[in-house]
Amino acid sequence: MKRYLPMLVALGGMVGLTIWMTNIGQVGFFPLAAPSKLLREVMRHLQIVVYAAALAIGVGLPLGFVLTRRAFRFVSPILVGLTNMGQTLPTLAFIGIFAVVLGLGLQAAVIALAVYALLPIVRNTYAGIRSVDPATKEAARGMGMSTAQIVWKVELPLAMPVIMAGIRTSTVLNVGTAAVAGMIGAGGLGEIIMSGLAMRVTEMVLQGAAPTAGLAIALDAVLGTAEQWLTPRGMKPATEMVFRG
Amino acid sequence: MIKLEDVTKIYPDGTKAVDDVTLEIEKGEFCVLLGPSGCGKTTSLKMINRLISLSQGKIYVDGRDVYQMDVNQLRRSMGYAIQEIGLFPHMTVEQNVTTVPRLLGWSKARCRERTAELLDLVGLSPPETFMRRFPNELSGGQKQRVGVARCLGADPPILLMDEPFGAIDPITRERLQDEFLRIQDEIRKTIAFVTHDIHEAVKMGDTIALMRDGILVQHAPPAEMLAHPKDSFVEDFVGSDRALKALQLMRVRDVMDETPPKVRIDESLETARGRMQELGVNFLAVVNEDERFEGWVNRRVLRRSGEQVKDVMMRYTVTGRRDTPVNEALSLMLGSAIGNLGVVDRRDKLIGVVTFRSLSEAIQASYSEDEDPDEAHAERETAA
């Protein structure tokens, strides 16, 4: 429980700040976001992040896995280079490019974020599976496990903590990045922040920023718990953070 | 049981790792594949369970060509243990040990029973405690034991072991070797065992297959290899102290004097001196009323003042057993003041004495029993 205390304090602070700001209701001529509007944008924000994460996992996990197979190993430097390059692009530019190609709206935002989340997932899946002790795999093979059995019973369970760390990192990062998606008309808390900035109403900026932070904190805790849960007992959590943003 | 016929392995880059090896391992035989690193011993082993493919030749297990069998079935039918152990860190000891049984679809109850049995066999008791542990909760020696238990999992008739005791400290290794020999006495598996350690080979193997540069140089029981190395490579490899190494193949019972000169603990010094004179020896073993071994007297201590033997005797309780290897006995003798070793039975009753003289006589005798070494050497040369 002690582990969760700082998280709960921070989360409580963010929720409190949001409620406080929303209760102000109006600053000068400018009405702040109504509770219902705020809730809608929180859900929208979450939707963008979750869709992007699902897409990134769906593509990144198999991709990372395939790269570890002998036949595809030659592609891996190319792909890692490519994903690295993707990550060096500024988020804003990235989302802008996707908006130009796919048009404004939810679709462009989700795809842009998914591509952005791909790197940590591909790289951690690749690293996690490659880091499985060759002796363990040899023992498995020597005892007569089929290739599929080695993948499902040995490689994936052993790589799981590292894979989960990648998913967690990219997903939590994307909560922040998704705020930018407001700029291309995808909605979410970014829209509230942007309106606040445009009208120079600090309270409104906070109204969008505080729940964004809260969302990131909560999601990090949820995924952290899932990571713990998926880490087989008997494996030290030393592999927790192979890649951190 | 296992037959390699003209087996050759050539890697794509042209290296000949194994060159035309023909080797037969009988049922119940403990065959040690020995040689310097890069000699092809591990490659040969891994070709048996098809972890490495053959380039030429045939390998038969129980008369069946291994390439006519399903590869996973083949592997499940033989135990496999490696130096790095390769335990599954995410599985409990029980899950590790029952890897193959579970692949074969054994019931849960049967798996549990088998685990308990195996952990007991490899000396991890109580099994209930160890079953639920994870590999990272075990010491190096314990992991190695689990590795051995795992390779015995489904009770395969054949074990393939690649330096299974290679990565542990010498003391634990020694103990595991002893225990494994005891286990092998019980279970009588057909074993192919890779090592580069000549001591281990001599100690463990019924036969040693010595390899160099992919070629099988000599396949013979250890005693024969030590007594009659086939060529200068074998001679170099077994070392110039091969006569000493051969001692570990002899047991105390082969070299002890079964009617040692002795004196009872409550007899007088006079009697002891008299007996020594009479037998023409310069020591006597001291026993008590129950024939238990107590120590020694020699001429020097008998000059001390006292009435009974027990007043002056050297209490020396280091003893050997009938089945103590002679090299250990020799070491104990060299370390003792008296230079002899009392041999006792289970109840500490004196049953014999090893002296330097009885030792050298026994060794001489064992040489003369053999054929003349030089002649035998020449014969083998022509045969080859």
Side-chain angles (χ1 to χ4, degrees):
Chain A
M1 204 58 221
K2 245 179 199 158
R3 252 171 356 108
Y4 291 104
L5 199 66
M7 185 276 291
L8 286 173
V9 169
L11 187 60
M14 288 308 148
V15 172
L17 191 61
T18 313
I19 293 171
W20 179 21
M21 289 304 133
T22 310
N23 277 343
I24 293 171
Q26 195 158 356
V27 176
F29 295 112
F30 302 109
L32 297 181
S36 62
K37 154 91 170 155
L38 191 61
L39 204 65
R40 210 164 53 238
E41 295 308 342
V42 167
M43 292 320 286
R44 186 57 184 244
H45 201 99
L46 203 60
Q47 189 187 19
I48 296 172
V49 171
V50 169
Y51 281 9
L55 196 61
I57 294 167
V59 175
L61 229 142
L63 200 59
F65 172 76
V66 162
L67 288 179
T68 61
R69 300 301 99 178
R70 193 159 301 162
F72 293 94
R73 232 169 251 175
F74 72 97
V75 210
S76 63
I78 304 169
L79 213 112
V80 169
L82 216 69
T83 37
N84 264 334
M85 207 176 67
Q87 190 94 116
T88 53
L89 286 174
T91 326
L92 202 56
F94 206 63
I95 288 181
I97 291 168
F98 272 90
V100 169
V101 177
L102 295 166
L104 299 177
L106 181 68
Q107 205 188 2
V110 167
I111 291 177
L113 291 188
V115 172
Y116 207 64
L118 210 54
L119 164 77
I121 294 176
V122 171
R123 203 152 78 175
N124 277 34
T125 305
Y126 179 76
I129 290 175
R130 285 300 300 270
S131 72
V132 174
D133 187 356
T136 308
K137 282 188 284 187
E138 200 204 302
R141 223 151 72 85
M143 282 188 295
M145 281 195 191
S146 67
T147 309
Q149 282 166 332
I150 295 174
V151 170
W152 289 106
K153 293 186 174 171
V154 179
E155 291 186 292
L156 281 179
L158 287 177
M160 202 38 94
V162 181
I163 296 176
M164 275 308 295
I167 291 175
R168 181 180 171 187
T169 306
S170 63
T171 306
V172 172
L173 267 176
N174 262 350
V175 174
T177 314
V180 182
M183 288 181 90
I184 56 166
L189 292 163
E191 211 174 274
I192 297 177
I193 299 175
M194 237 91 69
S195 315
L197 285 172
M199 298 183 282
R200 299 185 178 235
V201 180
T202 319
E203 287 83 348
M204 199 174 198
V205 174
L206 281 176
Q207 232 189 343
T212 305
L215 217 54
I217 294 166
L219 215 55
D220 187 56
V222 168
L223 290 172
T225 308
E227 190 181 316
Q228 289 288 323
W229 193 67
L230 281 169
T231 301
R233 224 192 97 201
M235 288 185 66
K236 292 188 197 99
T239 45
E240 210 180 21
M241 282 299 129
V242 161
F243 174 75
R244 247 306 188 191
Chain B
M1 195 79 178
I2 303 174
K3 201 160 116 193
L4 281 70
E5 224 174 67
D6 307 319
V7 166
T8 298
K9 175 68 194 180
I10 303 166
Y11 281 106
D13 65 357
T15 11
K16 230 178 195 176
V18 174
D19 190 0
D20 201 21
V21 164
T22 297
L23 172 71
E24 195 166 351
I25 306 176
E26 306 282 341
K27 193 168 166 33
E29 178 179 331
F30 192 139
C31 176
V32 177
L33 298 168
L34 176 70
S37 48
C39 72
K41 53 192 192 299
T42 297
T43 309
S44 303
L45 185 86
K46 288 184 180 174
M47 284 193 291
I48 298 175
N49 67 356
R50 291 178 54 185
L51 280 174
I52 293 177
S53 63
L54 281 175
S55 301
Q56 282 157 38
K58 290 261 191 231
I59 294 178
Y60 298 96
V61 169
D62 236 354
R64 291 172 68 195
D65 184 341
V66 293
Y67 277 85
Q68 301 301 316
M69 297 162 80
D70 174 71
V71 65
N72 291 329
Q73 298 297 338
L74 172 78
R75 290 174 185 160
R76 289 170 199 177
S77 73
M78 33 182 93
Y80 185 57
I82 52 177
Q83 177 176 356
E84 306 85 352
I85 321 175
L87 291 184
F88 303 126
H90 60 304
M91 295 187 194
T92 61
V93 167
E94 179 181 8
Q95 289 169 321
N96 266 290
V97 169
T98 56
T99 306
V100 179
R102 284 185 294 136
L103 288 173
L104 295 174
W106 288 22
S107 73
K108 258 205 170 116
R110 194 168 164 210
C111 281
R112 166 127 320 173
E113 201 179 311
R114 182 70 183 151
T115 312
E117 194 179 307
L118 283 171
L119 292 183
D120 205 46
L121 187 69
V122 299
L124 289 175
S125 47
E128 300 75 43
T129 324
F130 284 99
M131 252 185 221
R132 277 186 282 274
R133 294 217 182 139
F134 283 87
N136 65 1
E137 298 163 344
L138 302 174
S139 72
Q142 288 170 336
K143 278 185 201 158
Q144 207 66 256
R145 284 163 200 262
V146 174
V148 171
R150 183 172 69 173
C151 106
L152 292 168
D155 204 14
I158 294 172
L159 305 181
L160 306 180
M161 309 181 95
D162 191 356
E163 306 208 28
F165 308 130
I168 37 183
D169 65 276
I171 296 168
T172 316
R173 184 191 311 155
E174 193 85 20
R175 220 175 45 220
L176 279 176
Q177 288 170 345
D178 291 339
E179 286 175 27
F180 189 69
L181 282 178
R182 172 183 60 76
I183 294 171
Q184 167 65 355
D185 254 359
E186 270 176 51
I187 58 180
R188 279 284 138 207
K189 302 289 183 190
T190 305
I191 301 173
F193 184 106
V194 165
T195 184
H196 59 263
D197 178 357
I198 171 79
H199 286 281
E200 188 168 60
V202 170
K203 179 174 179 180
M204 307 291 282
D206 297 326
T207 62
I208 298 176
L210 184 60
M211 295 185 69
R212 177 187 53 171
D213 299 337
I215 296 168
L216 177 66
V217 182
Q218 187 173 8
H219 181 209
E224 189 186 324
M225 190 172 284
L226 291 169
H228 314 299
K230 188 176 167 190
D231 60 17
S232 59
F233 167 74
V234 183
E235 207 170 318
D236 285 347
F237 197 84
V238 297
S240 51
D241 61 342
R242 60 193 166 92
L244 283 179
K245 287 190 182 102
L247 288 184
Q248 83 182 76
L249 295 169
M250 297 170 84
R251 302 287 149 178
V252 157
R253 61 172 171 267
D254 306 326
V255 302
M256 71 182 185
D257 176 0
E258 290 179 38
T259 51
K262 58 188 175 188
V263 63
R264 274 225 322 272
I265 195 159
D266 52 358
E267 285 180 294
S268 72
L269 299 187
E270 204 51 52
T271 319
R273 274 193 289 264
R275 188 161 309 154
M276 246 197 266
Q277 201 86 48
E278 185 188 319
L279 296 171
V281 293
N282 44 24
F283 72 91
L284 294 172
V286 181
V287 294
N288 70 6
E289 311 79 53
D290 304 326
E291 289 286 302
R292 284 230 191 123
F293 178 64
E294 291 285 348
W296 304 96
V297 289
N298 60 14
R299 283 179 205 286
R300 190 169 52 80
V301 300
L302 285 178
R303 280 200 287 273
R304 293 188 195 150
S305 58
E307 280 178 22
Q308 291 183 342
V309 166
K310 69 174 161 219
D311 300 330
V312 299
M313 64 181 274
M314 296 184 271
R315 291 197 182 270
Y316 201 75
T317 49
V318 178
T319 53
R321 293 292 185 85
R322 292 174 65 86
D323 56 355
T324 305
V326 170
N327 61 333
E328 278 174 36
L330 182 62
S331 168
L332 292 173
M333 285 159 70
L334 292 171
S336 84
I338 190 84
N340 301 324
L341 184 71
V343 185
V344 297
D345 68 6
R346 225 176 278 257
R347 279 184 290 280
D348 278 341
K349 226 178 91 175
L350 185 74
I351 51 173
V353 165
V354 183
T355 64
F356 286 120
R357 175 183 271 175
S358 75
L359 193 61
S360 75
E361 275 169 4
I363 292 168
Q364 292 301 326
S366 82
Y367 272 126
S368 56
E369 270 167 34
D370 273 350
E371 37 193 341
D372 183 66
D374 288 330
E375 207 173 279
H377 192 159
E379 260 170 37
R380 270 188 201 86
E381 293 274 80
T382 40

